[in-house]
Amino acid sequence: MDCVDFVELVTEFLEGALPEADERRFIEHLAECSGCENYLDQFRRTIATTGELTPDNISSDARQQLLSAFKDWKRQ
Amino acid sequence: MAGARELPPDEVLVRRLRDGDEETFALVLDTWSGGMLRLAMSFVSTKASAEEAVQDTWLAVIRGIGDFEGRSSLKTWVYRILVRTAKTRGSKESRTVPFASLQPEEEGPTVDAARFRPPGERYPGHWAVGQEPRPWPEDYVLRGEVRELIAEALDELPPRLRAVVTLRDVAGYGSEEVCSMLEISPGNQRVLLHRARAFLRRKLEHYLSGVHDVAVGGDERGLR
């Protein structure tokens, strides 16, 4: 396996979706190539950082309307 | 707003919602709406429209909670309603996002071919000299800008890539749930996810390699 192939297989590797033989070649390459080792590490850190995003929330007007809609529904 | 309070299990949530417990409704509303808003943005053109899709979804949840059968988690059920609602809105805005097959722009390499040694050179297909990914500083996540950068980069992604990476890496869904919500095959889901992640990594790499040369805060804002 060369680096060109390695960088395209990272998600499949992380998902455990690589066929056994490919996974073995992936790991062999990883052990020998510091550039790809960094690439995999950066991929993991990117995923972790994406997971830390705190999304915007809906406006307080919308929130208030939904809370009243729920209250009205309960009264019915 | 409720902070990061732990949600009770689904049976409890559903029972309380059916009983009309306002505090429980406020809790799920505050916990899930942010993620829903981000996901809705994949299907519609404006933030206002995404917010309306989220509102419509909650109204449908209020009306339909009696019919919830518990075959998926409550959150997945709510997200499925959201995807349907946002898709309908998106198609009215002539912004259709077909998910069934991959688009031409979703093929091809995710790393610039110029970074690898060409055929004919020694070790073809390996990182070219000076083009190998360099280790990132250990404390890079401590910089608030990094998260801001990822948030902005998510907005730049094409809709299908954004939808998949938002569900998988922001909202934390497993691949099976995402395939079922978006009606895509596991193989296509992985392709979209990989392209989206590779794009975000490139943005981070670019930022982290330039950060030593430009004022903190980004090059645009650093210039007068």
Side-chain angles (χ1 to χ4, degrees), chain B residues 167-200:
Chain B
L167 285 168
R168 288 296 310 275
D169 293 346
V170 184
Y173 281 99
S175 57
E176 278 179 32
E177 274 176 303
V178 174
C179 290
S180 137
M181 280 184 220
L182 299 177
E183 294 170 335
I184 49 175
S185 71
N188 284 359
Q189 191 253 173
R190 276 197 300 273
V191 171
L192 295 170
L193 180 62
H194 186 69
R195 300 196 76 80
R197 286 171 169 177
F199 177 84
L200 300 178

Side-chain angles (χ1 to χ4, degrees), chain B residues 106-145:
Chain B
E106 286 159 6
E107 287 156 25
T110 55
V111 176
D112 187 355
R115 296 186 63 175
F116 302 105
R117 299 174 198 216
E121 256 188 45
R122 212 172 161 205
Y123 307 119
H126 289 256
W127 296 103
V129 176
Q131 291 294 326
E132 313 90 338
R134 305 288 173 79
W136 289 350
E138 280 306 319
D139 66 343
Y140 88 114
V141 272
L142 299 178
R143 310 169 201 225
E145 297 100 32

Side-chain angles (χ1 to χ4, degrees), chain A residues 8 11 42 45 52 59 63, chain B residues 30 110 134 137 147 201:
Chain A
E8 300 303 341
T11 292
Q42 292 168 0
R45 289 164 80 170
E52 285 167 10
S59 66
R63 181 178 183 270
Chain B
D30 292 340
T110 55
R134 305 288 173 79
R147 266 191 293 265
R201 194 209 68 90

Side-chain angles (χ1 to χ4, degrees), chain A residues 1-4 7-12 14-15 17 29 33-36 38-39 42-43 45-47 49-60 62-63 65-67 69-71 73-74, chain B residues 1 17 20-22 25 29-30 33-35 37-38 47 51 55 58-59 62 65 109-111 116 125-127 133-138 140-141 146-147 154 168-170 190 194 197 200-201 204:
Chain A
M1 182 175 296
D2 58 24
C3 310
V4 171
V7 297
E8 300 303 341
L9 293 174
V10 170
T11 292
E12 278 181 79
L14 294 176
E15 304 269 287
H29 181 87
C33 177
S34 60
C36 285
N38 284 334
Y39 192 86
Q42 292 168 0
F43 224 79
R45 289 164 80 170
T46 303
I47 296 165
T49 310
T50 309
E52 285 167 10
L53 291 180
T54 38
D56 290 346
N57 223 319
I58 52 171
S59 66
S60 56
R63 181 178 183 270
Q65 281 170 26
L66 287 166
L67 290 174
F70 186 76
K71 207 182 281 186
W73 168 77
K74 174 183 145 189
Chain B
M1 303 248 167
L17 289 174
D21 183 76
E22 288 170 36
F25 182 69
L29 184 67
D30 292 340
S33 294
L37 195 59
R38 207 181 269 286
K47 178 151 185 218
E51 181 156 299
Q55 278 185 277
W58 281 118
L59 294 172
I62 294 172
I65 189 68
T110 55
V111 176
F116 302 105
H126 289 256
W127 296 103
R134 305 288 173 79
W136 289 350
E138 280 306 319
Y140 88 114
V141 272
V146 166
R147 266 191 293 265
L154 276 177
R168 288 296 310 275
D169 293 346
V170 184
R190 276 197 300 273
H194 186 69
R197 286 171 169 177
L200 300 178
R201 194 209 68 90
L204 279 176

Side-chain angles (χ1 to χ4, degrees), chain B residues 6-17:
Chain B
E6 193 75 12
L7 287 180
D10 270 8
E11 313 88 85
V12 178
L13 280 182
V14 173
R15 194 177 60 238
R16 289 186 188 158
L17 289 174

